[in-house]
Structures are given as C-alpha cells and as structure tokens.
Amino acid sequence: MHNMDEYDGEIDYMHQEDDWDRDLLLDPAWEKQQRKTFTAWCNSHLRKAGTQIENIEEDFRDGLKLMLLLEVISGERLAKPERGKMRVHKISNVNKALDFITGKGVKLVSIGAEEIVDGNAKMTLGMIWTIILRFAIQDISVEETSAKEGLLLWCQRKTAPYKNVNIQNFHISWKDGLGFCALIHRHRPELIDYGKLRKDDPMTNLNTAFDVAEKYLDIPKMLDAEDIVGTARPDEKAIMTYVSSFYHAFSGAQKAETAANRICKVLAVNQENEQLMEDYEKLATDLLEWIRRTIPWLENRLPENTMQAMQQKLEDFRDYRRLHKPPKVQEKCQLEINFNTLQTKLRLSNRPAFMPSEGKMVSDINNAWGNLEGAEKGYEEWLLNEIRRLERLDHLAEKFRQKAAIHEAWTAGKEDMLQKHDFETASLSEIKALLKKHEAFESDLAAHQDRVEQIAAIAQELNELDYYDSPSVNARCQRICDQWDALGALTQKRSEALQRTEKLLETIDQLYLEFAKRAAPFNNWMEGAMEDLQDTFIVHTIEEIQGLSTAHEQFKATLPEADKERQAILGIHNEIAKIVQTYHVNMAGTNPYTTINPQEINAKWDKVRQLVPQRDQALIEEHARQQNNERLRRQFANQANVIGPWIQNKMEEIGRISIEMHGTLEDQLTHLRQYEKSIVNYKPKIDQLEGDHQLIQEALIFDNKHTNYTMEHIRVGWEQLLTTIARTINEIENQVLTRDAKGISQEQLNEYRASFNHFDRKRSGIMDAEDFKTCLISVGYNLGENEFSRIMSIVDPNRMGIVTFQAFIDFMSRETADTDTADQVMASFKVLAGDKNYILADELRRELPPDQAEYCMARMAPYTGPDAVPGALDYMSFSTALYGESDL
C-alpha cells in the first residue's frame, strides 16, 4: 500500500485537483465518462507500442500494460517486469509502476498494488487520473500559470474571439460543444464552418468536434456527446483529459503565440518611445517659439514720451516676470526631465539614444533661454534708465517753463519802452531823469542775463536728453534769445541817444537815482528769492533733502539783513517825498529813474515772507518721504539678507545629498522630497519679498546700501534651487529605474557610487574623461585609445567630455542587462512565418493585435530574396531597424 508522507518537491495531484472524491465515482454517469475517456487516452499512447486495452480495471491487473503505458508516455525504461501469472508476480509489476510514478514527485494516497490487481475500478481510475495529471497536464504553462489553471487560461485565450463561448470551468462550460469547435476553428479554420453552428444544437456541435478531432487531429474520441448532454454536470476530469489532448496537438501554435507576445512587447516599447519623442519635440518647439516671440519684445528699446507710458511698460514687465515666465521655467525643467527619462528608457530597452531635431537639443534650448535672460536683464535696466531720464526731463521742462514765464513777464513792454522818443520833447530835468532811468534799466538788464543763460542751458540739456517736445522748447528759447538780442540793441541805441542830449540836461534828483539803483537789485533779489522758493526739486536720499534744508535755513538767516535793506530803500523814498513836499517839486508823484515803487517792494517782500513757510512745509514732506523710502530699503534688506544665504545653503545641501551615500536610493529620494517640500513651503517668503520689492519700485527707489542682494539675485537663485532639486530627484529616480531594470543590488550601487566619488576629484557630480579612464583602469580594464573612445561614445553620446553617475552605472551594469535583442525579435518573426525568410500580411494579422500588425506592415520593406512570393515582407531588416542598426 502506497501512503507516503509529503516532502519538499513532491506534488499531491490527488489533492491538487480538488482531491479524488471517491463518493463521486459512485455516480454512474461520471464513472461511465471517466472509463471511456481514460480508456481512450491510454489507448492513444498504447497504440504507439502496438497494443491497447478494452477494460480499464481488468487489463491493468497484471501490471504489464501499466508499465508499458508509463514507458511510452515518459520515454524511459522501467524495471524488467515479472512474466509469471501468479498474484505475487502481478503485485510486483504494479508496484514497479507505482514506484516509478512516485519517483516522478507524485504522492499516491491510499492507492495500493493489491487494489489494482484485484480490479478495484475506483482505485484504477484514480491511478490513471494521477498519471494524466503528471504527464499530460502538469507541464502546461500559460502566462505565469500552470497545470489546471494554465490549461483553463489557454482555453479562455484561444476562445476569446468567439462571443458565444465563455469557458469558466471544465464541466458545464463545454456542454454546448461550441468550446471544442472554437478550439479547432481557432487553429484550423478550414476544418469547421463555425458560422453554421448553433448554440441550441449541442449534439451536432459535440459530434462535429469529436469527429473532426479524430479524423484530422489524431485525437481519439474520448467522450460521448449523449453522455455530456444528458449529464447535468459532466465529469471535470474527463473533460480536462480530452481538452489537454487539444493543447498538446496545438502546442506548435502555442509557440507562435509566445513569439507573437514577444513581438508585441517589443513593438509596445518602441511605440511608447516614439510617443515620448513626439511629446519632447512638441514641447521643445512650443518653448522655443515662445522664446522667439518674447526676445524681440524684450529687445524693443523704443522709448515713450511720458512717464505714464513707461510706467505701463514697467507694469507689463512685472506681469511677464510674475505670470508669464514662471510656467515657462517649469516647462523647461519638465522638458529636461522628460529628455533624461526617455534616454534612460531607451538605454534600458537596448535602443539607441534619442537625438532631437536640429536646433531642439537641450543645449539649444538652454542657449535660447540664456539669450532670453540676457535680453530680459538689459530690458529691465533700460526701463529704469528711461524712467529716470523722463523724470529728469519733466523736472527740467517745468523749470524751463517757470523761468521762461518769469523772463517773458519781465520783458513784456520793454521793447516799446526802449523805442519811445519821449526825450525829444523833455526838459533838462526830464532828460536827466530819462538818462538815469536808462542806466537803472541797463543794470536791471544785466541782472537778468543769468536767467537768460539758464534758460538756454536748460533748453540745451533737454535737447541732449532727447525731450519729446524739444521743438516747442527750442522755438520758445529762440524767441527769448532773439528778444534778448533785440533788447540789447535797443538799449544801446537809446543809451547813445540820451548821451547825445545829456549835455543839455544839468540836474537830476539824486535821491530818485539812489532809490532806483538800490531798489533794482533788491527787487531782482526778491524775484530771485521768490523764484528759488517756488523752484521744484527732486532728491533720492535723506542726505540730499538735508542739504536743501540747510541751504534754506541759510537763506532764512539772510532775511534780517534784507529787511534792513528794504527799510533803507523805503527811507530813500520817504526822503524823496519829504523833499517834494518840502520844496514843492512838481514830479507828478513818480520816480523818473525806475518803475519800481514802494508798494511793489512791499508786495514782493510780503510774497517772500509768505513763500518761506510754504517752502518749509514742502521740505518737511519730502524729508518724511525719504524716511519712508529708507524704511522700505531696510525692510527689503532684512529679508533679502536672510533669504539669499538660505537659498545658497539649500543648494549646497542638495549637492551633498546627491554625492554622498547615505542609505538606499529610496532613502535619498525621501530625503530629497522632504527638502523639496521645505523649499516649496518657503515660497511665501519669496512672495513677501516680491511685494516689498514692488513697493520699492513704485516708490522709485533705485539703490539700497543695506544689502548686496537684488530681487533679480533672489529670483535667479530661487529658480536655480527649484530646478536643481527637481533634477536631483529625477537623477535618483532614473538610478532606481536602472537598478530595478538591471537587477543591481544596493551593495553594488554603493560600490559604484564609492568608485565614482573617489574619482570625482572636484566633487561636482561628474567625471571628466581622464578621471573616468583612471577609474576603468583601476577596476581592471586594459584600455587602448580605440577601446576607450568606443566606451566614451557609449557613456557620453553627446560628446561633452563628461561622464554622469547615471551613465557610469549604466555602463558598469550593461553586461548584466536582460533585454530583448534584434536576433531574438528576428527569431520570433521566423516562428510566426513558419521558418520562412519572409512573412505575409495575413500571418501578421492572424498572430498580432490589429494595431501592431498594421504598424509592422507599414514599416516592413518588400522581401526581394530568391524565394520571394507576391506580398512577401522582409521581417529581418525590420527587426534590425528596431534597434537602430539600420534605417526602416
């Protein structure tokens, strides 16, 4: 009696297939199906030895045909059988057969030689089922499943295209017979007209399948259609036995399916890579087009005429920096990440490196980006300079208008006055008066010379600064200068006329003359004071406004002396009035030597006294504004002096993480993502600094002595920090891809990193060619120049003269990669083609999914060999082209 314990490596087939339920064998319908099926299965093998059985429990009793059956199905020789007729001889033969089965790793439970010799039908059928499981079903393997599950999956895959077939088990799913017909039609469609079969006619379907299988597939008829249709639940083991015969009959087609799966896998990888390449090309094209459109806008230096227009340009530039550029920075970073990921996938799938279209390399994009930032920097500097220029122009233009208006007001009527001929009919005293008056006018005229020169100088400066309204300024300045020349000429002419008549005049009132001479400069001083007190000013620092305040205080200190001069001048006038009153001089109440009168002096003096406090208030307000500007400077500097070093420290820490070996790659990724999270959480401080910077720009503050950091420094550092952390994470993720794809252990990866760091003398994360060569020699490579050049072309396909850590581990683990090759794909196509040197379109459509079949047909060249037939396709050159060794 065989009742062996389980041991490692054995397979309990009785329990594996839901155990051998001995009670079920008592069901006459099931027992009948098993007898017929098992008998036919045994005879399909025994006939190869020229014999067969008729009664399964009787013909195996002496053990001879049982041993013969095992020899046929195993291909091995069993021990020599006993030829005697006695019971002991029969038991010996059966035991030899059972020992052989046990030796194949099969556990036989409660099956003994005595029961077989005694003709126990239940035990005999159980033994045959065990043999069928071991030799007909165990080795079936379909996509990670085997034995019963593998056979069921095979049936499901083969019948999937048939909508009226649904194989879920090995009993009721086969009752309508369509499952058997579908298996035959899938592999030999010419044997069955499947379209004429009906689900409601199971007898016809079953008999058709059984007859065709026996006649054309050499599969004996193991089942009766009547038994299957008449049984509520056909015997599972009988169905499995019969279906396994179909599997073995079509094993060649299974190989073709495996080959097709391999091709599908390779083509799927190729299609995915092509899609990634198309995505890269589109993203690169869009980014370059945006840069191409943006650079001319930044390079446009056409100035505006007004501060408002230039302020709008500055606002547009701020929108560009805040809204338009940041997404493009992210696109550029994502483009580089996609490019690196694509190159890694190409290396892992044994494909050649991706070369983008001309002008769309990562280096081309970096160059274009550099041009963009260069134009951007120059544009911002130009905007600020233009704003300063327009501010200066507005100030000068207002100053010009004020001085011109004062001068024009002073010159009004002077030409008419100089052209009078009143001296011709005047008395001697009147002539003297006219002469003295003219002398006073000349003094006044000389006093106004400075203002005319100032007006001309301001006009000249406006021209040099390209003031937009220069033509009108020049015209007004020219009119003033022409008028001034005319006044000079007229003054000279009148002076000569008065001098000619001076000898006719004898006396003049010296007091009037004294009044005129002292009143004119004092009046001019007051006009100058009023002009200065109303003069606009522009300052940028507290020191400048303090200088103006100091000058104003000095001016106020002169007012007491000026008041004394005013009193003295008014005293002269009072003395004149006293003389006139005392001597009854008929002077008509006017001073013949000047148009200035005491009322005008007093009015102007009052005006000066009124303007002084107004000037005080303007200086105080400007001082407050400068103090606020200083506060904004310090507020910005306090934040910038913290954020700038923080960004630098983070850059250095990320550099150390990417070079040093602390933990696994996953640990490094976790560490880096924590850094990335802390960096992203720091963004509100950058935004706050941007807000302070905007306040500074709106206040027209152009310098800050409290910090060396500008907003541009902070922006560039922040963008570099975001790009660096993203790139570093991408590099570690690619290392994980490489490690997992090539089966590199953590210890190997650590060794690679240690070797790389040892020869990365600059600690920059890359090795130059000489360091890499030294590293290869240290690990045993015997390098000549040609061999080293070949290796460099692998690790540095872009010929940049450097080796990254990713390229280093790709090279070091390259020989261990388990990837598909062109030869493997070519061999798979040869299986589909039935060993022909070409393949037909119908064969591709039959074995491959529709989209991949069309993909192959569109790219395969016509086969031109000597054995070519119409429609033959060259799968050899296509397989080679998949791996970049030739063009499609």
Side-chain angles (χ1 to χ4, degrees):
M1 177 74 67
H2 285 262
N3 191 358
M4 303 174 61
D5 293 333
E6 285 188 330
Y7 60 89
D8 292 340
E10 283 190 327
I11 304 173
D12 187 348
Y13 287 91
M14 301 293 287
H15 288 85
Q16 176 181 326
E17 295 302 324
D18 303 326
D19 292 333
W20 183 263
D21 192 338
R22 290 157 182 78
D23 294 332
L24 290 178
L25 289 177
L26 299 176
D27 184 335
W30 284 23
E31 184 176 350
K32 177 182 177 183
Q33 291 178 22
Q34 289 184 8
R35 283 175 178 275
K36 179 175 179 62
T37 301
F38 291 179
T39 299
W41 184 86
C42 292
N43 285 335
S44 69
H45 294 286
L46 287 173
R47 68 185 179 184
K48 300 174 184 176
T51 185
Q52 65 179 16
I53 61 173
E54 298 294 334
N55 188 312
I56 195 165
E57 67 264 32
E58 290 294 327
D59 292 348
F60 285 136
R61 291 179 63 185
D62 60 3
L64 294 175
K65 288 188 178 180
L66 180 59
M67 294 178 68
L68 182 61
L69 173 64
L70 291 172
E71 288 183 344
V72 171
I73 62 179
S74 69
E76 300 177 22
R77 296 289 296 175
L78 275 69
K80 186 176 180 180
E82 301 286 345
R83 294 297 179 179
K85 301 295 185 178
M86 299 177 64
R87 177 180 174 81
V88 65
H89 297 140
K90 296 178 181 179
I91 290 175
S92 176
N93 289 338
V94 173
N95 272 328
K96 289 177 182 178
L98 296 179
D99 289 340
F100 179 81
I101 296 172
T102 303
K104 293 299 182 181
V106 179
K107 181 179 179 182
L108 298 173
V109 180
S110 302
I111 298 178
E114 293 81 3
E115 293 170 311
I116 304 302
V117 171
D118 292 339
N120 187 319
K122 179 172 62 176
M123 292 301 169
T124 302
L125 289 173
M127 177 190 65
I128 297 302
W129 173 240
T130 301
I131 293 172
I132 293 172
L133 279 175
R134 171 61 182 83
F135 294 99
I137 298 177
Q138 174 192 345
D139 294 332
I140 296 174
S141 177
V142 178
E143 293 189 12
E144 309 299 326
T145 62
S146 59
K148 177 181 177 181
E149 289 79 12
L151 182 60
L152 182 62
L153 180 60
W154 179 78
C155 295
Q156 291 171 339
R157 292 293 172 83
K158 293 302 180 180
T159 61
Y162 301 85
K163 295 182 179 179
N164 52 0
V165 177
N166 183 18
I167 304 300
Q168 298 297 325
N169 50 55
F170 287 108
H171 37 81
I172 61 175
S173 293
W174 302 86
K175 286 192 66 174
D176 59 9
L178 292 177
F180 296 107
C181 293
L183 285 177
I184 297 172
H185 185 266
R186 177 66 185 271
H187 295 90
R188 297 287 300 278
E190 74 279 6
L191 299 181
I192 291 181
D193 188 354
Y194 190 88
K196 293 184 178 181
L197 300 179
R198 294 183 293 111
K199 192 175 183 68
D200 59 357
D201 189 6
M203 290 294 295
T204 299
N205 300 338
L206 289 166
N207 284 322
T208 298
F210 297 161
D211 293 340
V212 169
E214 186 176 40
K215 182 176 181 180
Y216 296 102
L217 304 178
D218 200 25
I219 298 174
K221 191 173 183 180
M222 300 182 185
L223 301 170
D224 284 330
E226 294 80 5
D227 293 341
I228 295 176
V229 174
T231 304
R233 187 176 185 269
D235 181 69
E236 183 179 59
K237 297 172 178 60
I239 298 293
M240 284 179 63
T241 302
Y242 188 54
V243 171
S244 69
S245 299
F246 283 87
Y247 174 87
H248 292 294
F250 297 134
S251 61
Q254 180 67 22
K255 293 179 182 179
E257 181 180 0
T258 301
N261 288 338
R262 178 182 292 275
I263 292 173
C264 291
K265 174 184 174 184
V266 172
L267 293 179
V269 170
N270 223 53
Q271 289 170 319
E272 180 184 2
N273 290 340
E274 288 181 0
Q275 184 61 47
L276 288 174
M277 294 175 189
E278 292 176 4
D279 293 344
Y280 173 88
E281 290 284 334
K282 183 178 185 304
L283 191 56
T285 299
D286 293 344
L287 185 57
L288 288 170
E289 176 61 20
W290 178 82
I291 293 173
R292 184 191 65 78
R293 295 195 312 267
T294 305
I295 286 178
W297 174 67
L298 293 173
E299 290 178 342
N300 179 17
R301 299 295 191 270
L302 187 63
E304 300 290 347
N305 294 331
T306 64
M307 279 285 288
Q308 182 180 2
M310 288 306 296
Q311 288 284 6
Q312 183 59 48
K313 280 197 171 186
L314 184 61
E315 187 62 30
D316 294 342
F317 181 74
R318 291 197 192 110
D319 289 342
Y320 158 80
R321 290 305 306 269
R322 290 195 306 262
L323 305 177
H324 305 305
K325 185 182 178 185
K328 299 304 177 181
V329 173
Q330 293 298 322
E331 289 181 15
K332 177 176 177 290
C333 179
Q334 190 61 45
L335 187 72
E336 294 175 359
I337 291 173
N338 291 352
F339 181 84
N340 294 334
T341 301
L342 173 59
Q343 298 292 37
T344 299
K345 288 186 176 182
L346 290 173
R347 286 195 299 270
L348 294 177
S349 59
N350 205 21
R351 266 57 167 190
F354 168 56
M355 291 297 294
S357 302
E358 183 178 357
K360 296 178 183 176
M361 294 286 291
V362 173
S363 59
D364 297 323
I365 294 172
N366 286 333
N367 290 336
W369 191 264
N371 294 336
L372 174 73
E373 293 188 331
E376 175 184 314
K377 181 179 180 182
Y379 186 73
E380 184 174 23
E381 183 178 351
W382 173 78
L383 280 176
L384 295 176
N385 288 335
E386 276 300 301
I387 289 174
R388 293 191 191 100
R389 185 181 70 84
L390 287 175
E391 187 180 36
R392 172 67 176 164
L393 284 174
D394 288 346
H395 172 69
L396 287 174
E398 181 61 25
K399 195 170 186 178
F400 174 87
R401 285 190 289 270
Q402 287 184 3
K403 289 186 177 293
I406 292 172
H407 177 78
E408 288 167 347
W410 179 83
T411 59
K414 294 295 190 293
E415 289 180 86
D416 294 336
M417 183 268 294
L418 291 172
Q419 291 175 345
K420 286 182 179 180
H421 295 274
D422 51 344
F423 57 88
E424 295 178 350
T425 58
S427 63
L428 181 62
S429 60
E430 289 173 345
I431 292 299
K432 288 289 186 181
L434 289 175
L435 184 58
K436 296 302 180 181
K437 182 179 179 181
H438 190 68
E439 289 175 357
F441 174 77
E442 287 179 325
S443 177
D444 202 10
L445 187 67
H448 283 78
Q449 177 68 33
D450 288 342
R451 183 179 290 116
V452 175
E453 292 175 356
Q454 290 174 5
I455 291 172
I458 293 172
Q460 179 64 27
E461 189 171 359
L462 287 171
N463 278 279
E464 291 173 355
L465 293 176
D466 196 21
Y467 181 54
Y468 78 98
D469 200 21
S470 290
S472 64
V473 170
N474 293 338
R476 189 173 185 181
C477 181
Q478 188 62 47
R479 288 196 301 272
I480 291 172
C481 291
D482 291 345
Q483 185 187 38
W484 187 253
D485 293 338
L487 286 176
L490 291 173
T491 300
Q492 181 65 28
K493 183 178 179 180
R494 183 172 179 81
S495 178
E496 293 173 354
L498 290 174
Q499 288 175 4
R500 285 193 300 268
T501 59
E502 185 179 9
K503 292 179 180 181
L504 301 177
L505 306 176
E506 295 181 348
T507 188
I508 191 147
D509 193 337
Q510 294 297 321
L511 290 175
Y512 270 136
L513 181 60
E514 179 71 8
F515 177 90
K517 287 184 177 180
R518 295 183 67 173
F522 183 72
N523 181 69
N524 189 59
W525 174 87
M526 287 192 298
E527 289 180 347
M530 288 188 294
E531 181 179 348
D532 291 340
L533 289 171
Q534 297 179 86
D535 190 16
T536 59
F537 55 83
I538 178 170
V539 294
H540 296 96
T541 65
I542 291 179
E543 291 76 12
E544 292 176 357
I545 191 62
Q546 287 174 343
L548 290 177
S549 297
T550 300
H552 183 60
E553 292 301 322
Q554 292 173 351
F555 166 77
K556 289 196 294 185
T558 65
L559 290 178
E561 286 297 322
D563 190 44
K564 290 180 180 180
E565 177 66 13
R566 180 181 69 87
Q567 293 294 343
I569 293 173
L570 292 178
I572 295 173
H573 178 75
N574 292 336
E575 187 176 354
I576 293 172
K578 184 178 180 181
I579 293 172
V580 169
Q581 184 177 4
T582 301
Y583 298 99
H584 304 290
V585 177
N586 185 16
M587 299 298 295
T590 60
N591 190 332
Y593 304 117
T594 181
T595 60
I596 300 171
N597 56 60
Q599 293 77 16
E600 184 178 353
I601 291 175
N602 285 331
K604 289 183 178 179
W605 176 256
D606 292 338
K607 181 64 174 178
V608 169
R609 295 298 296 272
Q610 180 185 354
L611 290 174
V612 167
Q614 294 178 4
R615 185 71 166 187
D616 289 336
Q617 183 62 31
L619 290 172
I620 290 171
E621 291 174 356
E622 181 61 29
H623 190 272
R625 189 176 76 87
Q626 290 303 322
Q627 285 183 323
N628 183 63
N629 288 353
E630 183 67 12
R631 181 187 62 78
L632 291 177
R633 289 189 182 96
R634 292 182 182 275
Q635 180 175 311
F636 177 88
N638 289 339
Q639 294 188 72
N641 289 335
V642 173
I643 293 175
W646 182 88
I647 292 175
Q648 182 62 33
N649 290 337
K650 289 299 179 184
M651 290 287 287
E652 293 172 359
E653 289 171 5
I654 293 169
R656 288 196 295 272
I657 292 173
S658 65
I659 293 176
E660 296 171 358
M661 296 178 293
H662 293 305
T664 64
L665 292 177
E666 286 75 8
D667 293 338
Q668 295 177 36
L669 271 178
T670 300
H671 199 184
L672 285 170
R673 287 187 176 121
Q674 290 173 351
Y675 265 88
E676 184 180 37
K677 184 177 180 181
S678 70
I679 290 169
V680 171
N681 290 338
Y682 204 79
K683 182 64 165 57
K685 295 186 178 182
I686 303 297
D687 295 337
Q688 182 180 353
L689 190 64
E690 284 281 8
D692 292 343
H693 178 65
Q694 182 172 346
L695 292 176
I696 283 178
Q697 287 196 327
E698 289 173 352
L700 300 178
I701 300 172
F702 303 107
D703 55 4
N704 193 339
K705 65 183 179 181
H706 303 296
T707 181
N708 292 327
Y709 292 100
T710 66
M711 195 63 230
E712 181 62 23
H713 292 152
I714 299 298
R715 290 191 192 110
V716 171
W718 178 253
E719 292 168 359
Q720 288 178 346
L721 180 59
L722 293 178
T723 301
T724 299
I725 188 66
R727 286 176 177 166
T728 305
I729 289 174
N730 178 248
E731 288 174 0
I732 300 299
E733 289 174 340
N734 285 340
Q735 291 175 26
V736 171
L737 285 176
T738 303
R739 180 197 67 190
D740 295 344
K742 298 188 177 181
I744 303 173
S745 68
Q746 186 63 42
E747 290 75 17
Q748 287 176 306
L749 199 59
N750 289 341
E751 289 177 4
Y752 290 158
R753 171 55 80 179
S755 297
F756 186 90
N757 288 348
H758 177 74
F759 289 95
D760 178 17
R761 296 182 174 87
K762 298 178 181 177
R763 294 295 182 266
S764 59
I766 58 175
M767 285 192 290
D768 58 29
E770 286 301 317
D771 288 343
F772 179 58
K773 185 174 183 180
T774 305
C775 179
L776 292 180
I777 294 173
S778 73
V779 296
Y781 277 79
N782 184 15
L783 295 175
E785 287 299 322
N786 292 336
E787 177 62 8
F788 182 67
S789 297
R790 183 190 69 80
I791 293 176
M792 281 300 293
S793 68
I794 296 173
V795 299
D796 183 24
N798 294 327
R799 301 184 183 278
M800 299 175 67
I802 60 173
V803 180
T804 65
F805 180 65
Q806 181 64 42
F808 178 75
I809 62 174
D810 285 346
F811 173 75
M812 296 301 291
S813 59
R814 191 179 187 86
E815 298 301 325
T816 63
D818 183 16
T819 56
D820 294 309
T821 66
D823 291 340
Q824 290 174 320
V825 176
M826 197 180 302
S828 297
F829 273 117
K830 193 164 188 177
V831 170
L832 299 188
D835 283 339
K836 300 190 296 295
N837 291 326
Y838 58 85
I839 193 167
L840 300 176
D842 289 342
E843 292 171 332
L844 288 172
R845 293 190 182 98
R846 184 174 69 243
E847 302 297 343
L848 299 181
D851 61 329
Q852 295 189 341
E854 294 299 326
Y855 179 85
C856 293
M857 289 187 288
R859 287 163 172 77
M860 283 185 181
Y863 177 71
T864 58
D867 54 342
V869 300
L873 299 173
D874 186 354
Y875 62 78
M876 295 183 181
S877 61
F878 175 74
S879 301
T880 302
L882 283 176
Y883 289 85
E885 299 176 15
S886 65
D887 294 331
L888 282 175

